Amino acid sequence: NEAAQGANDLNGNGAADDDVLFVRTLATGDQSNTGVAVDPARLAATGSHCVFTTNESDEPGSPDLNGDGDDSDAVLRSYDHQTALVTTWPYATSDLVAREGVVAFRVCENEQGESDLNFDGDAGGDYDECVMHVLLLASGEVQNTERNASACNLPGCDPFFEPYRVTPSSVSFLTSEYAQSGLGVPPGTPLAVD
């Protein structure tokens, strides 16, 4: 956090109140500033990658990183420690879970340029439908599951640290049949496991 580090501008955006991604090599103790703003609530490490979101407004010039015409989104990014490269994945990301090179993340239609990501005939409507996507870091492939996904709040789930389950071969999440129907989701609608 820039404010905690003497109010220095660590990512070059002219403000000194951002959280900025630093990477530390455990074997040598060396650490480096990536110069990239990060949301600490949406941050995970897997292998040589750090996966996170950046609030567009925290970057120099407030760029539109997901191409939806505004600068108000938290967009998915990754940092590869082996190459020291930051990759921007153009998706407004509400949350993410990363395990062994697999990153599951939800993209809300209202934040992704009113896009109909689950192909149910609407673009979120009155309910902000969030659709599960999967990023395979080894290949850079992003898969849209075309399914509305809700954070798991059932007993045994941790909606903050693990709102859905990720393994190297699968992503498990909850989906609402009502949301998938294109009718939107009223509060209290029962969820079905997808």
Side-chain angles (χ1 to χ4, degrees):
N1 181 287
E2 292 172 330
Q5 298 299 319
N8 295 315
D9 179 10
L10 300 174
N11 67 329
N13 71 341
D17 60 353
D18 304 311
D19 291 298
V20 178
L21 181 66
F22 273 71
V23 176
R24 182 177 180 89
T25 304
L26 298 179
T28 64
D30 294 337
Q31 65 183 25
S32 58
N33 177 2
T34 66
V36 177
V38 62
D39 179 349
R42 298 180 196 128
L43 171 69
T46 177
S48 67
H49 289 85
C50 183
V51 184
F52 55 95
T53 63
T54 295
N55 293 320
E56 293 169 324
S57 60
D58 290 344
E59 284 292 276
S62 298
D64 177 10
L65 298 174
N66 66 331
D68 70 345
D70 65 52
D71 65 356
S72 62
D73 305 306
V75 175
L76 185 67
R77 299 179 105 177
S78 64
Y79 174 82
D80 184 341
H81 182 63
Q82 292 178 336
T83 63
L85 294 176
V86 175
T87 301
T88 300
W89 308 96
Y91 300 95
T93 302
S94 65
D95 49 31
L96 62 92
V97 174
R99 298 270 189 287
E100 300 182 51
V102 177
V103 182
F105 61 99
R106 295 187 308 153
V107 180
C108 298
E109 293 177 337
N110 289 343
E111 296 172 8
Q112 190 67 24
E114 300 291 330
S115 301
D116 185 7
L117 300 173
N118 61 345
F119 303 101
D120 66 348
D122 66 29
D126 293 332
Y127 173 75
D128 194 12
E129 294 176 359
C130 298
V131 177
M132 182 62 69
H133 287 65
V134 179
L135 165 62
L136 306 176
L137 286 168
S139 66
E141 177 187 2
V142 175
Q143 302 171 358
N144 176 358
T145 68
E146 301 177 11
R147 296 285 176 250
N148 177 278
S150 299
C152 180
N153 57 9
L154 300 172
C157 292
D158 184 335
F160 182 77
F161 289 107
E162 193 174 47
Y164 28 88
R165 297 285 165 103
V166 177
T167 71
S169 61
S170 69
V171 175
S172 302
F173 57 94
L174 300 175
T175 190
S176 166
E177 292 173 338
Y178 197 80
Q180 240 0 84
S181 70
L183 300 173
V185 180
T189 300
L191 300 174
V193 176
D194 187 33

Coordinates of all heavy atoms in Angstrom, one line a residue, residues 34-130:
T34 N 6.4 -4.3 -9.4 CA 5.9 -4.6 -10.8 C 5.4 -3.3 -11.4 O 5.2 -3.2 -12.6 CB 4.8 -5.6 -10.8 OG1 3.7 -5.1 -10.1 CG2 5.3 -6.9 -10.2
G35 N 5.1 -2.3 -10.5 CA 4.5 -1.0 -11.0 C 3.0 -1.1 -11.4 O 2.5 -0.3 -12.1
V36 N 2.4 -2.2 -11.0 CA 1.0 -2.5 -11.3 C 0.1 -2.4 -10.1 O 0.4 -3.0 -9.1 CB 0.8 -3.8 -12.0 CG1 -0.6 -4.2 -12.3 CG2 1.7 -3.9 -13.2
A37 N -1.0 -1.6 -10.2 CA -2.0 -1.5 -9.1 C -2.7 -2.9 -9.0 O -3.0 -3.6 -10.0 CB -3.0 -0.4 -9.4
V38 N -3.0 -3.2 -7.7 CA -3.7 -4.5 -7.5 C -4.7 -4.3 -6.4 O -4.6 -3.5 -5.5 CB -2.6 -5.6 -7.0 CG1 -1.9 -5.1 -5.7 CG2 -3.2 -6.9 -6.9
D39 N -5.8 -5.1 -6.5 CA -6.8 -5.1 -5.5 C -6.5 -6.3 -4.6 O -6.6 -7.5 -5.0 CB -8.2 -5.3 -6.1 CG -9.3 -5.4 -5.1 OD1 -9.0 -5.5 -3.9 OD2 -10.5 -5.4 -5.5
P40 N -6.1 -6.1 -3.3 CA -5.6 -7.1 -2.4 C -6.7 -8.1 -2.1 O -6.4 -9.3 -1.7 CB -5.1 -6.4 -1.2 CG -5.7 -5.1 -1.2 CD -6.0 -4.7 -2.7
A41 N -8.0 -7.8 -2.3 CA -9.1 -8.8 -2.1 C -9.2 -9.7 -3.2 O -9.9 -10.7 -3.1 CB -10.4 -8.0 -1.8
R42 N -8.6 -9.5 -4.4 CA -8.7 -10.3 -5.5 C -7.2 -10.6 -6.0 O -6.8 -10.1 -7.0 CB -9.5 -9.7 -6.7 CG -10.9 -9.4 -6.3 CD -11.6 -8.7 -7.5 NE -12.8 -8.1 -7.1 CZ -13.2 -6.8 -7.3 NH1 -12.4 -6.0 -8.0 NH2 -14.3 -6.3 -6.9
L43 N -6.6 -11.5 -5.3 CA -5.2 -11.8 -5.5 C -4.9 -13.2 -5.1 O -5.4 -13.7 -4.1 CB -4.3 -10.8 -4.6 CG -2.8 -11.1 -4.5 CD1 -2.2 -10.7 -5.8 CD2 -2.3 -10.2 -3.3
A44 N -4.2 -14.0 -6.0 CA -3.9 -15.4 -5.7 C -2.6 -15.7 -6.4 O -2.2 -15.1 -7.4 CB -5.0 -16.3 -6.3
A45 N -1.9 -16.7 -5.9 CA -0.6 -17.1 -6.5 C -0.8 -18.6 -6.9 O -1.4 -19.4 -6.2 CB 0.5 -17.0 -5.5
T46 N -0.3 -19.0 -8.0 CA -0.3 -20.3 -8.5 C 1.0 -20.6 -9.4 O 1.2 -19.9 -10.4 CB -1.6 -20.7 -9.2 OG1 -1.5 -22.0 -9.7 CG2 -1.9 -19.8 -10.4
G47 N 1.8 -21.5 -8.9 CA 3.1 -21.7 -9.7 C 3.9 -20.4 -9.7 O 4.1 -19.8 -8.7
S48 N 4.4 -20.1 -10.9 CA 5.2 -18.9 -11.0 C 4.4 -17.6 -11.3 O 4.9 -16.6 -11.6 CB 6.2 -19.0 -12.2 OG 5.6 -19.1 -13.4
H49 N 3.0 -17.8 -11.3 CA 2.1 -16.7 -11.6 C 1.5 -16.1 -10.3 O 1.1 -16.8 -9.4 CB 1.0 -17.1 -12.5 CG 1.5 -17.4 -13.9 ND1 2.0 -18.6 -14.3 CD2 1.5 -16.7 -15.0 CE1 2.4 -18.6 -15.5 NE2 2.1 -17.4 -16.0
C50 N 1.3 -14.8 -10.4 CA 0.4 -14.1 -9.5 C -0.8 -13.6 -10.3 O -0.6 -13.0 -11.3 CB 1.2 -12.9 -8.8 SG 0.2 -12.1 -7.6
V51 N -2.0 -13.9 -9.9 CA -3.2 -13.5 -10.6 C -3.9 -12.6 -9.7 O -4.1 -12.8 -8.5 CB -4.1 -14.8 -10.9 CG1 -5.2 -14.4 -11.8 CG2 -3.2 -15.8 -11.6
F52 N -4.4 -11.5 -10.3 CA -5.0 -10.4 -9.6 C -5.9 -9.6 -10.4 O -6.0 -9.7 -11.7 CB -4.0 -9.5 -8.9 CG -3.0 -9.0 -9.9 CD1 -3.1 -7.7 -10.5 CD2 -1.9 -9.7 -10.3 CE1 -2.3 -7.2 -11.4 CE2 -1.0 -9.2 -11.3 CZ -1.2 -8.0 -11.8
T53 N -6.6 -8.6 -9.8 CA -7.4 -7.6 -10.6 C -6.7 -6.3 -10.3 O -6.1 -6.0 -9.3 CB -8.9 -7.6 -10.2 OG1 -9.0 -7.2 -8.9 CG2 -9.5 -8.9 -10.5
T54 N -6.9 -5.4 -11.3 CA -6.4 -4.0 -11.3 C -7.7 -3.1 -11.5 O -8.4 -3.3 -12.5 CB -5.4 -3.7 -12.3 OG1 -4.2 -4.4 -12.0 CG2 -5.0 -2.2 -12.3
N55 N -7.9 -2.2 -10.6 CA -9.0 -1.2 -10.8 C -8.4 -0.3 -11.9 O -7.4 0.3 -11.7 CB -9.3 -0.5 -9.6 CG -10.0 -1.4 -8.5 OD1 -10.8 -2.2 -8.9 ND2 -9.6 -1.2 -7.3
E56 N -9.2 -0.2 -13.0 CA -8.7 0.7 -14.1 C -8.4 2.1 -13.7 O -7.4 2.7 -14.1 CB -9.8 0.7 -15.2 CG -10.0 -0.6 -15.9 CD -11.3 -0.6 -16.8 OE1 -12.3 0.0 -16.4 OE2 -11.2 -1.3 -17.8
S57 N -9.1 2.7 -12.8 CA -8.9 4.0 -12.3 C -7.6 4.2 -11.5 O -7.2 5.3 -11.3 CB -10.1 4.5 -11.5 OG -10.3 3.7 -10.4
D58 N -7.0 3.1 -11.0 CA -5.8 3.1 -10.3 C -4.5 3.1 -11.2 O -3.4 3.3 -10.7 CB -5.7 2.0 -9.3 CG -6.7 2.1 -8.1 OD1 -7.2 3.2 -7.9 OD2 -6.9 1.1 -7.5
E59 N -4.7 2.9 -12.4 CA -3.6 2.8 -13.3 C -3.3 4.2 -14.0 O -4.2 5.0 -14.1 CB -3.8 1.8 -14.5 CG -3.7 0.4 -14.0 CD -2.3 0.0 -13.7 OE1 -1.5 -0.3 -14.6 OE2 -1.9 0.1 -12.5
P60 N -2.1 4.5 -14.4 CA -1.8 5.8 -15.0 C -2.7 6.0 -16.2 O -2.8 5.1 -17.1 CB -0.3 5.6 -15.4 CG 0.3 4.6 -14.5 CD -0.9 3.7 -14.2
G61 N -3.3 7.1 -16.3 CA -4.2 7.5 -17.4 C -5.6 6.8 -17.3 O -6.4 7.0 -18.2
S62 N -5.8 6.0 -16.3 CA -7.1 5.3 -16.1 C -7.5 4.6 -17.4 O -8.6 4.9 -18.0 CB -8.2 6.3 -15.7 OG -7.9 6.8 -14.4
P63 N -6.7 3.7 -17.9 CA -7.1 3.1 -19.2 C -8.3 2.1 -19.1 O -8.6 1.6 -18.1 CB -5.8 2.2 -19.5 CG -5.3 1.9 -18.2 CD -5.5 3.1 -17.3
D64 N -9.0 2.0 -20.2 CA -10.1 1.0 -20.3 C -9.5 -0.3 -20.7 O -9.3 -0.7 -21.8 CB -11.0 1.5 -21.4 CG -12.2 0.6 -21.7 OD1 -12.4 -0.4 -20.9 OD2 -12.9 0.7 -22.7
L65 N -9.2 -1.1 -19.7 CA -8.4 -2.4 -19.9 C -9.2 -3.5 -20.4 O -8.7 -4.5 -21.0 CB -7.8 -2.8 -18.5 CG -6.8 -1.9 -17.9 CD1 -6.3 -2.4 -16.6 CD2 -5.6 -1.7 -18.9
N66 N -10.6 -3.4 -20.4 CA -11.4 -4.5 -20.9 C -12.2 -4.1 -22.1 O -13.0 -4.8 -22.6 CB -12.3 -5.1 -19.8 CG -13.4 -4.2 -19.3 OD1 -13.2 -2.9 -19.3 ND2 -14.5 -4.7 -18.9
G67 N -12.0 -2.9 -22.6 CA -12.6 -2.4 -23.9 C -14.1 -2.2 -23.8 O -14.7 -2.2 -24.9
D68 N -14.7 -1.9 -22.7 CA -16.1 -1.7 -22.6 C -16.5 -0.2 -22.6 O -17.7 0.1 -22.4 CB -16.7 -2.4 -21.4 CG -16.3 -1.8 -20.0 OD1 -15.4 -1.0 -20.0 OD2 -17.0 -2.1 -19.0
G69 N -15.6 0.7 -22.8 CA -15.9 2.1 -22.9 C -15.9 2.9 -21.6 O -16.3 4.1 -21.6
D70 N -15.5 2.3 -20.5 CA -15.4 3.0 -19.2 C -14.1 2.7 -18.5 O -13.4 1.7 -18.9 CB -16.6 2.8 -18.3 CG -16.7 1.4 -17.9 OD1 -15.8 0.8 -17.3 OD2 -17.8 0.8 -18.0
D71 N -13.8 3.3 -17.4 CA -12.6 3.0 -16.7 C -12.9 2.7 -15.2 O -12.2 3.1 -14.3 CB -11.6 4.2 -16.7 CG -12.1 5.5 -16.1 OD1 -13.3 5.5 -15.6 OD2 -11.3 6.4 -16.0
S72 N -14.1 2.0 -15.0 CA -14.5 1.8 -13.7 C -14.5 0.3 -13.3 O -15.2 -0.1 -12.3 CB -16.0 2.3 -13.5 OG -16.8 1.7 -14.4
D73 N -13.8 -0.5 -14.0 CA -13.8 -2.0 -13.8 C -12.6 -2.5 -13.1 O -11.5 -1.8 -13.1 CB -14.0 -2.7 -15.1 CG -15.2 -2.3 -15.9 OD1 -16.3 -2.3 -15.3 OD2 -15.0 -1.9 -17.0
A74 N -12.7 -3.6 -12.4 CA -11.6 -4.4 -11.9 C -11.3 -5.5 -12.9 O -12.1 -6.4 -13.1 CB -11.9 -5.0 -10.5
V75 N -10.1 -5.4 -13.6 CA -9.8 -6.2 -14.7 C -8.8 -7.3 -14.3 O -7.8 -7.0 -13.6 CB -9.4 -5.4 -15.9 CG1 -9.0 -6.2 -17.1 CG2 -10.5 -4.4 -16.3
L76 N -9.0 -8.5 -14.9 CA -8.1 -9.6 -14.6 C -6.7 -9.4 -15.2 O -6.6 -9.0 -16.4 CB -8.7 -10.9 -15.1 CG -7.9 -12.2 -14.8 CD1 -7.9 -12.5 -13.3 CD2 -8.5 -13.4 -15.6
R77 N -5.7 -9.7 -14.4 CA -4.3 -9.6 -14.9 C -3.5 -10.7 -14.2 O -3.9 -11.3 -13.2 CB -3.7 -8.2 -14.5 CG -4.4 -7.1 -15.2 CD -3.9 -5.8 -14.8 NE -3.1 -5.3 -15.9 CZ -2.6 -4.1 -15.9 NH1 -2.6 -3.3 -14.9 NH2 -1.9 -3.6 -17.0
S78 N -2.3 -11.0 -14.8 CA -1.4 -12.0 -14.2 C 0.0 -11.5 -14.4 O 0.3 -10.8 -15.4 CB -1.6 -13.4 -14.9 OG -1.2 -13.3 -16.2
Y79 N 0.8 -11.9 -13.4 CA 2.3 -11.5 -13.5 C 3.0 -12.9 -13.5 O 2.8 -13.7 -12.6 CB 2.7 -10.7 -12.3 CG 4.2 -10.5 -12.2 CD1 4.8 -9.5 -12.9 CD2 5.0 -11.3 -11.4 CE1 6.1 -9.2 -12.9 CE2 6.4 -11.1 -11.3 CZ 6.9 -10.0 -12.1 OH 8.3 -9.8 -12.0
D80 N 3.9 -13.1 -14.5 CA 4.7 -14.3 -14.6 C 6.1 -14.0 -14.0 O 6.8 -13.2 -14.6 CB 4.7 -14.8 -16.0 CG 5.5 -16.1 -16.2 OD1 6.2 -16.5 -15.3 OD2 5.3 -16.7 -17.2
H81 N 6.4 -14.6 -12.9 CA 7.7 -14.3 -12.3 C 8.9 -14.8 -13.1 O 9.9 -14.1 -13.1 CB 7.7 -15.0 -10.9 CG 9.0 -14.8 -10.2 ND1 9.4 -13.5 -9.7 CD2 10.0 -15.6 -9.7 CE1 10.5 -13.6 -9.1 NE2 10.9 -14.8 -9.1
Q82 N 8.7 -15.8 -13.9 CA 9.8 -16.3 -14.8 C 10.1 -15.3 -15.9 O 11.3 -15.2 -16.3 CB 9.4 -17.7 -15.4 CG 9.4 -18.7 -14.3 CD 9.0 -20.1 -14.9 OE1 8.3 -20.2 -15.9 NE2 9.3 -21.1 -14.2
T83 N 9.1 -14.6 -16.4 CA 9.4 -13.7 -17.5 C 9.3 -12.2 -17.1 O 9.7 -11.4 -17.9 CB 8.3 -13.9 -18.7 OG1 7.0 -13.6 -18.2 CG2 8.4 -15.3 -19.2
A84 N 8.8 -12.0 -15.9 CA 8.6 -10.6 -15.4 C 7.6 -9.8 -16.2 O 7.7 -8.6 -16.3 CB 9.9 -9.9 -15.2
L85 N 6.7 -10.5 -16.9 CA 5.7 -9.9 -17.7 C 4.3 -9.9 -17.1 O 3.9 -10.8 -16.4 CB 5.6 -10.6 -19.1 CG 6.8 -10.5 -20.0 CD1 6.6 -11.3 -21.2 CD2 7.1 -9.1 -20.3
V86 N 3.6 -8.7 -17.2 CA 2.2 -8.6 -16.8 C 1.4 -8.8 -18.0 O 1.6 -8.2 -19.1 CB 2.0 -7.2 -16.2 CG1 0.5 -7.1 -15.8 CG2 2.8 -7.0 -14.9
T87 N 0.4 -9.7 -17.9 CA -0.6 -9.9 -19.0 C -2.0 -9.4 -18.5 O -2.4 -9.7 -17.4 CB -0.7 -11.4 -19.4 OG1 0.6 -11.8 -19.7 CG2 -1.7 -11.6 -20.5
T88 N -2.6 -8.6 -19.4 CA -4.0 -8.2 -19.1 C -5.0 -9.1 -19.8 O -4.9 -9.2 -21.0 CB -4.2 -6.7 -19.5 OG1 -3.2 -5.9 -18.8 CG2 -5.6 -6.2 -19.2
W89 N -5.9 -9.6 -19.1 CA -7.0 -10.4 -19.6 C -8.2 -9.5 -19.6 O -8.6 -9.1 -18.6 CB -7.2 -11.7 -18.8 CG -5.9 -12.4 -18.6 CD1 -5.1 -12.4 -17.5 CD2 -5.3 -13.3 -19.5 NE1 -4.0 -13.2 -17.7 CE2 -4.1 -13.8 -18.9 CE3 -5.6 -13.8 -20.8 CZ2 -3.2 -14.7 -19.5 CZ3 -4.8 -14.7 -21.4 CH2 -3.6 -15.1 -20.8
P90 N -8.8 -9.1 -20.8 CA -9.8 -8.1 -20.8 C -11.2 -8.5 -20.3 O -12.2 -8.4 -21.0 CB -9.8 -7.7 -22.3 CG -9.5 -9.0 -23.0 CD -8.5 -9.7 -22.1
Y91 N -11.2 -8.8 -19.0 CA -12.5 -9.2 -18.4 C -12.6 -8.5 -17.1 O -11.7 -8.5 -16.2 CB -12.5 -10.7 -18.1 CG -12.3 -11.5 -19.4 CD1 -11.1 -12.0 -19.8 CD2 -13.5 -11.8 -20.2 CE1 -11.0 -12.7 -21.0 CE2 -13.3 -12.6 -21.3 CZ -12.1 -13.0 -21.7 OH -11.9 -13.8 -22.9
A92 N -13.8 -7.8 -16.9 CA -14.1 -7.2 -15.6 C -14.4 -8.4 -14.6 O -15.3 -9.2 -14.9 CB -15.4 -6.3 -15.7
T93 N -13.7 -8.5 -13.6 CA -13.7 -9.7 -12.7 C -14.2 -9.4 -11.3 O -13.6 -8.5 -10.7 CB -12.2 -10.3 -12.7 OG1 -11.8 -10.6 -14.0 CG2 -12.2 -11.5 -11.8
S94 N -15.2 -10.1 -10.9 CA -15.8 -9.8 -9.6 C -15.0 -10.6 -8.5 O -14.9 -10.1 -7.4 CB -17.3 -10.2 -9.5 OG -17.4 -11.6 -9.7
D95 N -14.5 -11.8 -8.8 CA -13.7 -12.5 -7.8 C -13.0 -13.6 -8.6 O -13.2 -13.9 -9.8 CB -14.5 -13.1 -6.7 CG -15.8 -13.8 -7.2 OD1 -15.8 -14.4 -8.3 OD2 -16.8 -13.8 -6.4
L96 N -12.0 -14.3 -7.9 CA -11.2 -15.3 -8.6 C -10.7 -16.3 -7.6 O -10.5 -16.0 -6.4 CB -10.1 -14.7 -9.4 CG -9.0 -13.9 -8.6 CD1 -7.9 -14.8 -8.2 CD2 -8.5 -12.8 -9.5
V97 N -10.5 -17.5 -8.1 CA -9.8 -18.6 -7.3 C -8.8 -19.2 -8.3 O -9.1 -19.5 -9.4 CB -10.8 -19.6 -6.8 CG1 -10.0 -20.8 -6.1 CG2 -11.8 -19.0 -5.8
A98 N -7.5 -19.4 -7.8 CA -6.5 -20.0 -8.6 C -5.9 -21.2 -8.0 O -5.6 -21.1 -6.8 CB -5.4 -19.0 -8.9
R99 N -5.7 -22.3 -8.7 CA -5.1 -23.5 -8.2 C -4.3 -24.2 -9.4 O -4.9 -24.4 -10.4 CB -6.1 -24.5 -7.7 CG -7.0 -24.1 -6.5 CD -6.3 -24.4 -5.2 NE -7.3 -24.1 -4.1 CZ -7.6 -22.9 -3.7 NH1 -7.1 -21.9 -4.2 NH2 -8.5 -22.8 -2.7
E100 N -3.1 -24.4 -9.1 CA -2.3 -25.2 -10.0 C -2.4 -24.9 -11.5 O -2.7 -25.7 -12.4 CB -2.5 -26.7 -9.8 CG -2.2 -27.1 -8.4 CD -2.4 -28.6 -8.2 OE1 -1.9 -29.4 -9.0 OE2 -3.1 -28.9 -7.2
G101 N -2.3 -23.6 -11.8 CA -2.4 -23.1 -13.2 C -3.8 -22.9 -13.8 O -3.9 -22.5 -14.9
V102 N -4.8 -23.1 -13.0 CA -6.2 -22.9 -13.4 C -6.8 -21.8 -12.6 O -6.7 -21.7 -11.4 CB -7.1 -24.2 -13.2 CG1 -8.5 -23.9 -13.5 CG2 -6.5 -25.4 -13.9
V103 N -7.3 -20.8 -13.3 CA -7.9 -19.6 -12.7 C -9.4 -19.6 -13.0 O -9.8 -19.5 -14.2 CB -7.3 -18.3 -13.1 CG1 -7.9 -17.1 -12.4 CG2 -5.8 -18.4 -12.9
A104 N -10.3 -19.7 -12.0 CA -11.7 -19.5 -12.2 C -12.1 -18.1 -11.8 O -11.6 -17.7 -10.7 CB -12.5 -20.6 -11.4
F105 N -12.8 -17.4 -12.6 CA -13.2 -16.1 -12.3 C -14.6 -15.7 -12.9 O -15.0 -16.3 -13.9 CB -12.2 -15.0 -12.8 CG -12.0 -15.0 -14.3 CD1 -12.6 -14.0 -15.0 CD2 -11.1 -16.0 -14.9 CE1 -12.3 -14.0 -16.4 CE2 -10.9 -15.9 -16.2 CZ -11.5 -15.0 -17.0
R106 N -15.3 -14.9 -12.1 CA -16.7 -14.5 -12.6 C -16.6 -13.1 -13.2 O -16.0 -12.2 -12.8 CB -17.6 -14.5 -11.4 CG -17.9 -15.8 -10.8 CD -19.0 -15.8 -9.8 NE -18.8 -14.8 -8.7 CZ -19.7 -14.3 -8.0 NH1 -21.0 -14.6 -8.3 NH2 -19.5 -13.4 -7.1
V107 N -17.3 -13.0 -14.4 CA -17.4 -11.8 -15.1 C -18.9 -11.4 -15.1 O -19.7 -12.1 -15.6 CB -16.9 -12.0 -16.6 CG1 -17.1 -10.6 -17.4 CG2 -15.5 -12.5 -16.6
C108 N -19.2 -10.2 -14.6 CA -20.5 -9.7 -14.5 C -20.9 -9.0 -15.8 O -20.2 -8.1 -16.2 CB -20.7 -8.8 -13.3 SG -20.4 -9.7 -11.7
E109 N -22.1 -9.3 -16.3 CA -22.5 -8.8 -17.6 C -22.6 -7.2 -17.6 O -22.2 -6.6 -18.5 CB -23.8 -9.4 -18.0 CG -23.7 -10.8 -18.3 CD -25.1 -11.5 -18.7 OE1 -26.1 -10.9 -18.3 OE2 -25.0 -12.5 -19.4
N110 N -23.1 -6.7 -16.5 CA -23.2 -5.2 -16.4 C -21.9 -4.5 -16.4 O -21.8 -3.3 -16.7 CB -24.0 -4.8 -15.1 CG -25.5 -5.2 -15.2 OD1 -26.0 -5.4 -16.3 ND2 -26.1 -5.3 -14.1
E111 N -20.8 -5.2 -15.9 CA -19.5 -4.6 -15.9 C -18.7 -4.9 -17.1 O -17.6 -4.3 -17.3 CB -18.7 -5.1 -14.7 CG -19.4 -4.7 -13.4 CD -18.8 -5.3 -12.1 OE1 -17.7 -5.9 -12.3 OE2 -19.3 -5.1 -11.1
Q112 N -19.1 -5.8 -18.0 CA -18.4 -6.1 -19.2 C -19.1 -5.5 -20.4 O -19.4 -6.2 -21.4 CB -18.3 -7.7 -19.3 CG -17.4 -8.2 -20.4 CD -15.9 -7.8 -20.1 OE1 -15.5 -7.6 -19.0 NE2 -15.1 -7.8 -21.2
G113 N -19.5 -4.3 -20.3 CA -20.1 -3.6 -21.5 C -21.5 -4.1 -21.8 O -21.9 -4.1 -22.9
E114 N -22.3 -4.5 -20.8 CA -23.7 -5.0 -21.0 C -23.7 -6.2 -22.0 O -24.6 -6.3 -22.8 CB -24.6 -3.9 -21.4 CG -24.7 -2.7 -20.5 CD -25.4 -3.1 -19.2 OE1 -26.3 -3.9 -19.2 OE2 -25.1 -2.5 -18.1
S115 N -22.7 -7.1 -21.9 CA -22.6 -8.2 -22.8 C -23.4 -9.4 -22.3 O -23.5 -9.6 -21.1 CB -21.1 -8.7 -22.9 OG -20.3 -7.6 -23.3
D116 N -24.0 -10.1 -23.2 CA -24.8 -11.3 -22.8 C -23.9 -12.5 -22.8 O -23.7 -13.2 -23.7 CB -26.0 -11.5 -23.8 CG -26.9 -12.7 -23.4 OD1 -26.7 -13.2 -22.3 OD2 -27.7 -13.0 -24.2
L117 N -23.2 -12.7 -21.7 CA -22.1 -13.7 -21.6 C -22.6 -15.1 -21.4 O -21.9 -16.1 -21.7 CB -21.2 -13.3 -20.4 CG -20.5 -12.0 -20.5 CD1 -19.8 -11.7 -19.2 CD2 -19.6 -11.9 -21.7
N118 N -23.9 -15.3 -20.9 CA -24.4 -16.7 -20.8 C -25.5 -17.0 -21.9 O -26.1 -18.0 -21.8 CB -24.9 -16.9 -19.4 CG -26.1 -16.0 -19.0 OD1 -26.3 -15.0 -19.6 ND2 -26.8 -16.4 -17.9
F119 N -25.6 -16.1 -22.8 CA -26.4 -16.3 -24.0 C -27.9 -16.7 -23.6 O -28.5 -17.5 -24.2 CB -25.8 -17.3 -24.9 CG -24.4 -16.9 -25.4 CD1 -23.3 -17.5 -24.8 CD2 -24.2 -15.9 -26.3 CE1 -22.0 -17.1 -25.1 CE2 -23.0 -15.5 -26.7 CZ -21.9 -16.1 -26.1
D120 N -28.4 -15.9 -22.6 CA -29.8 -16.2 -22.2 C -30.7 -15.1 -22.7 O -31.9 -15.1 -22.3 CB -29.9 -16.3 -20.7 CG -29.6 -15.0 -19.9 OD1 -29.1 -14.1 -20.6 OD2 -29.8 -15.0 -18.7
G121 N -30.3 -14.3 -23.6 CA -31.2 -13.3 -24.2 C -31.2 -11.9 -23.5 O -31.9 -11.0 -23.9
D122 N -30.4 -11.8 -22.4 CA -30.3 -10.5 -21.8 C -28.9 -10.2 -21.4 O -28.0 -11.0 -21.5 CB -31.3 -10.4 -20.5 CG -30.8 -11.3 -19.4 OD1 -29.6 -11.6 -19.3 OD2 -31.7 -11.7 -18.6
A123 N -28.6 -9.0 -21.0 CA -27.3 -8.6 -20.6 C -27.3 -8.2 -19.1 O -26.8 -7.1 -18.7 CB -26.8 -7.5 -21.5
G124 N -27.8 -9.0 -18.3 CA -27.9 -8.8 -16.8 C -29.2 -8.2 -16.4 O -29.7 -8.6 -15.3
G125 N -29.8 -7.3 -17.1 CA -31.1 -6.8 -16.8 C -31.0 -6.1 -15.4 O -30.1 -5.5 -15.0
D126 N -32.1 -6.4 -14.6 CA -32.1 -5.9 -13.2 C -31.2 -6.6 -12.3 O -30.9 -6.1 -11.2 CB -33.6 -6.0 -12.7 CG -34.5 -5.0 -13.5 OD1 -34.0 -4.0 -14.0 OD2 -35.7 -5.4 -13.5
Y127 N -30.8 -7.8 -12.7 CA -29.9 -8.6 -11.9 C -28.6 -8.7 -12.6 O -28.5 -9.0 -13.7 CB -30.5 -10.0 -11.7 CG -29.6 -11.0 -11.0 CD1 -29.4 -10.9 -9.6 CD2 -28.9 -11.9 -11.7 CE1 -28.5 -11.7 -9.0 CE2 -28.0 -12.8 -11.1 CZ -27.8 -12.7 -9.7 OH -26.9 -13.5 -9.1
D128 N -27.5 -8.4 -11.8 CA -26.2 -8.5 -12.4 C -25.7 -9.9 -12.5 O -25.1 -10.4 -11.6 CB -25.2 -7.6 -11.5 CG -23.9 -7.3 -12.2 OD1 -23.8 -7.6 -13.5 OD2 -23.0 -6.9 -11.6
E129 N -26.0 -10.5 -13.6 CA -25.6 -11.9 -13.8 C -24.1 -12.0 -14.0 O -23.5 -11.3 -14.8 CB -26.2 -12.5 -15.1 CG -27.7 -12.6 -14.9 CD -28.4 -13.1 -16.2 OE1 -27.7 -13.3 -17.2 OE2 -29.6 -13.2 -16.1
C130 N -23.4 -12.8 -13.2 CA -22.0 -13.0 -13.3 C -21.7 -14.4 -13.8 O -22.2 -15.4 -13.3 CB -21.4 -12.9 -11.9 SG -21.6 -11.2 -11.2

